[in-house]
Amino acid sequence: MNNELVISSTPDEVTIALLEDKHIVELNSEKKDQRFQVGDIYLGRVKKLIPGLNAAFVDVGHEKDAFLHYLDLGPQVDSLLKLIKLSTSGKNPDPLLASFQLEKDIDKGGKINNVLSPNQWVMVQVAKEPISSKGPRITSELSLAGRFVVLVPFSDMVSISQKIKSAEERQRLKRLAMSIKPKGFGLIVRTVADGKKVAELDKDIQDLVSKWKSAFEMLQTAKPPQKILGELNRTSTILRDLLNPNFNAIHVNDAGLAEEIKSYISGIAPEQTEIVKLYKGKLPIFENFGIEKQIKSSFGKTVTMSNGAYLIVEHTEAMHVIDVNSGGRTKGADDSTQEANALQVNLDAATEVARQLRLRDMGGIIVIDFIDMHNPQNRKMLFDKLKNEMKRDRAKHTILPPSKFGLIQITRQRVRPETNITTAEKCPACDGTGEIKASVLIVDEIENNLRYFVQEQNEKELHLAIHPYLEAYLVKGNFFNPSVVAKWKKKFKVKLKVTANTNYHMMEYHFFNKTEEEIKI
């Protein structure tokens, strides 16, 4: 499978499209002044405790206070609070934690007011970006993600990604990780570390330790609310998590950003720096690669598929609902043919549903109403197909088997607002009001403009472009009853050409002079 990134940079934001075999599967947009990305670490101040929720609201600089639940404190939060107190009081403990005396783990079933107090300073990490009217969701169980490993301060554990299936490879990676793990830190070995050598893992760890040192130095003079350590921008994060030998091109329309990406890739995969290509075409980059059309066809309430079937996507406050429709393929068929057709439509829909979840970044509860199938083997085949298609989804998710009503339920991790693109366009005739000028007045309006151009601007030769229906009305005439255009030519003594343009809406018209330059009205 060939993967490509197409990156459109404007003065305000960067939009990133991930293509798999030329089909868009992810769309990420990042404002250039965006704050509170997942992974950012802040020094915050506890604003208030909510014992009923066993949670706290923390000021991290967002207009809405961030939400910190007791279960998100992490077992070693007392060690973190001790480090913050020592650092901010000028005692300068060892940033590498080698000689740092860890505190006992907190009780899993404890209460938040036994750990935190109002106005207390706490170091937290953004777990979910602000969504709708809610502030960020945060955790004090800090972690620093690299390309091959995730560094976890105040821990001694080493764990291997569940996606690495080989028992032999898992054992090899665990031995390597244990041998190079810095004291006072735990490690999570990521899926992309499969087959990597110890030198590559060690370099990744040293880079993350260096980032931790930088955060530690800033902490010594920081005052809440303040960002201590920023996550990579969205482009670099995607490259860090997804870049592999299957990537064959990264197209960018901004020279500065292209150099930044090359510089970043040279640090994580030097052999792939040549895949970064600067786009210099005249068309907008998304239009040139056919992405704009794919976006228009993939978002909105109705999503059509190549076999004539389609999806209906609805959103509620509590969940997302996707309805699969056959588009009339099964009408008039016998029972056996209907079952086969339903299976084929459902299998195709499973592929599209998996793509839609990634593309729109839909999170929370998703309920999919597939076409009813009576054969249990077919229902199992559908379930297996959906699970297989969802394997490429980086978000954590759980899929339940089909219910007896043919519904499949999915829970999918939500860490940032859903991507929502309006595909309907404002009607140019009514400007979205649903009303247009009285059609009986349009001819008088054109005549008044014609009079102005001839008598006030001294135009002797004009070209009027209008909708075909209106053109037929103005041009049609005979010897006994001249057309409207013929009457205008005689009345204003002007050379007038009238043409039809099918791209115009019913009431649209434009005047051009003899050099075919439009005359603005």
Side-chain angles (χ1 to χ4, degrees):
M1 179 177 291
N2 288 328
N3 292 342
E4 293 178 282
L5 277 186
V6 181
I7 304 173
S8 173
S9 177
T10 67
D12 297 324
E13 66 180 350
V14 176
T15 306
I16 309 153
L18 172 63
L19 307 182
E20 291 180 355
D21 292 335
K22 304 298 182 182
H23 294 290
I24 182 171
V25 293
E26 286 188 25
L27 188 67
N28 292 274
S29 184
E30 179 182 30
K31 299 287 184 184
K32 292 194 173 175
D33 60 350
Q34 183 173 344
R35 301 171 64 201
F36 305 103
Q37 291 191 113
V38 171
D40 287 349
I41 297 176
Y42 285 82
L43 179 63
R45 178 187 280 110
V46 178
K47 288 292 288 292
K48 57 184 175 181
L49 302 176
I50 312 294
L53 296 176
N54 204 15
F57 284 101
V58 181
D59 177 17
V60 291
H62 190 264
E63 57 183 328
K64 297 277 188 179
D65 290 336
F67 183 78
L68 176 63
H69 193 272
Y70 181 85
L71 296 177
D72 293 322
L73 289 175
Q76 276 292 323
V77 65
D78 282 340
S79 299
L80 175 63
L81 294 174
K82 176 183 173 182
L83 179 73
I84 295 169
K85 189 173 181 179
L86 291 173
S87 299
T88 53
S89 62
K91 295 186 178 179
N92 300 329
D94 181 9
L96 296 182
L97 308 178
S99 58
F100 184 78
Q101 185 65 42
L102 296 179
E103 299 294 308
K104 291 182 179 180
D105 290 0
I106 62 171
D107 181 8
K108 291 183 179 179
K111 299 297 182 183
I112 194 134
N113 50 1
N114 294 332
V115 180
L116 300 178
S117 57
N119 294 317
Q120 185 174 3
W121 294 9
V122 59
M123 205 166 164
V124 294
Q125 188 167 28
V126 177
K128 288 185 181 181
E129 293 176 11
I131 298 174
S132 185
S133 60
K134 299 177 182 177
R137 179 76 181 259
I138 54 177
T139 176
S140 59
E141 192 167 12
L142 308 181
S143 62
L144 282 71
R147 176 148 171 79
F148 302 120
V149 299
V150 177
L151 188 71
V152 185
F154 312 110
S155 173
D156 197 41
M157 299 289 293
V158 171
S159 59
I160 312 297
S161 168
Q162 295 294 324
K163 293 183 180 179
I164 299 178
K165 301 300 182 184
S166 168
E168 184 179 341
E169 177 63 10
R170 292 175 66 86
Q171 286 296 324
R172 183 188 76 88
L173 288 172
K174 188 152 191 175
R175 286 196 304 271
L176 291 182
M178 291 295 291
S179 67
I180 59 178
K181 180 184 74 66
K183 187 177 179 181
F185 294 88
L187 290 178
I188 302 170
V189 180
R190 308 184 70 183
T191 309
V192 288
D194 192 355
K196 300 301 179 183
K197 297 179 180 178
V198 65
E200 295 175 283
L201 301 184
D202 188 55
K203 181 181 181 302
D204 205 27
I205 291 171
Q206 296 310 315
D207 290 343
L208 294 175
V209 169
S210 178
K211 286 176 69 175
W212 173 255
K213 285 183 181 178
S214 300
F216 183 82
E217 290 171 4
M218 183 174 285
L219 179 63
Q220 295 174 6
T221 57
K223 302 290 182 185
Q226 183 175 333
K227 183 187 286 189
I228 300 297
L229 185 64
E231 173 63 289
L232 297 169
N233 60 44
R234 192 69 55 81
T235 309
S236 299
T237 302
I238 290 173
L239 289 174
R240 180 192 69 195
D241 295 345
L242 293 180
L243 189 64
N244 58 50
N246 289 333
F247 258 86
N248 59 354
I250 300 173
H251 303 278
V252 194
N253 66 345
D254 180 87
L257 183 57
E259 287 303 315
E260 285 181 32
I261 294 171
K262 277 188 178 181
S263 175
Y264 178 72
I265 292 179
S266 67
I268 63 171
E271 71 282 359
Q272 289 187 272
T273 53
E274 297 304 316
I275 68 175
V276 182
K277 306 178 190 301
L278 178 62
Y279 174 74
K280 298 180 180 179
K282 293 182 179 179
L283 287 174
I285 187 169
F286 275 10
E287 190 174 334
N288 180 75
F289 287 94
I291 296 171
E292 197 67 43
K293 184 176 180 181
Q294 287 193 53
I295 290 173
K296 290 293 186 183
S297 64
S298 299
F299 284 84
K301 181 177 177 179
T302 303
V303 180
T304 57
M305 296 185 289
S306 58
N307 60 7
Y310 59 94
L311 307 178
I312 301 292
V313 184
E314 296 276 10
H315 310 280
T316 72
E317 186 67 25
M319 66 180 69
H320 308 279
V321 181
I322 302 176
D323 184 33
V324 179
N325 288 275
S326 64
R329 274 186 45 160
T330 59
K331 290 181 179 177
D334 57 38
D335 289 346
S336 61
T337 307
Q338 282 188 358
E339 180 80 7
N341 284 342
L343 174 62
Q344 187 57 52
V345 170
N346 283 340
L347 293 177
D348 292 342
T351 302
E352 184 60 30
V353 165
R355 186 178 81 103
Q356 285 290 322
L357 298 187
R358 293 175 66 190
L359 185 58
R360 302 187 189 214
D361 205 4
M362 293 162 63
I365 301 173
I366 301 107
V367 178
I368 308 149
D369 182 13
F370 286 97
I371 299 171
D372 289 343
M373 295 185 297
H374 304 293
N375 189 330
Q377 290 183 337
N378 289 343
R379 291 199 291 270
K380 184 180 184 305
M381 193 183 303
L382 170 62
F383 181 53
D384 292 341
K385 171 75 171 178
L386 186 58
K387 286 197 298 183
N388 188 56
E389 292 293 334
M390 291 288 289
K391 283 181 179 177
R392 294 195 292 272
D393 194 338
R394 290 178 292 142
K396 294 178 183 176
H397 58 269
T398 303
I399 308 173
L400 298 183
S403 71
K404 63 180 180 180
F405 299 117
L407 304 177
I408 288 184
Q409 300 171 67
I410 299 175
T411 59
R412 186 175 182 273
Q413 181 186 27
R414 175 165 55 188
V415 297
R416 57 181 59 90
E418 177 190 348
T419 303
N420 188 18
I421 295 177
T422 303
T423 56
E425 299 176 353
K426 184 183 285 188
C427 171
C430 69
D431 199 32
T433 64
E435 298 176 347
I436 61 173
K437 300 175 187 175
S439 55
V440 71
L441 300 177
I442 189 67
V443 176
D444 290 342
E445 183 181 300
I446 295 173
E447 183 176 349
N448 289 335
N449 286 318
L450 179 61
R451 179 187 293 109
Y452 174 77
F453 292 142
V454 173
Q455 296 180 354
E456 300 295 330
Q457 296 193 2
N458 202 30
E459 296 285 351
K460 300 299 182 184
E461 186 174 335
L462 291 168
H463 169 202
L464 172 63
I466 51 178
H467 187 273
Y469 286 169
L470 195 54
E471 186 264 350
Y473 172 76
L474 295 178
V475 172
K476 186 178 180 181
N478 55 48
F479 179 79
F480 299 102
N481 187 16
S483 68
V484 175
V485 171
K487 292 177 182 177
W488 285 346
K489 289 178 179 179
K490 183 177 180 181
K491 181 177 181 179
F492 299 114
K493 297 181 174 56
V494 62
K495 187 176 181 181
L496 180 63
K497 178 176 73 171
V498 180
T499 60
N501 191 323
T502 56
N503 292 324
Y504 289 0
H505 64 77
M506 185 75 73
M507 310 294 280
E508 185 178 2
Y509 63 92
H510 297 275
F511 278 101
F512 303 87
N513 60 21
K514 62 182 178 182
T515 60
E516 290 301 321
E517 294 178 354
E518 184 177 356
I519 307 172
K520 298 296 183 181
I521 300 172

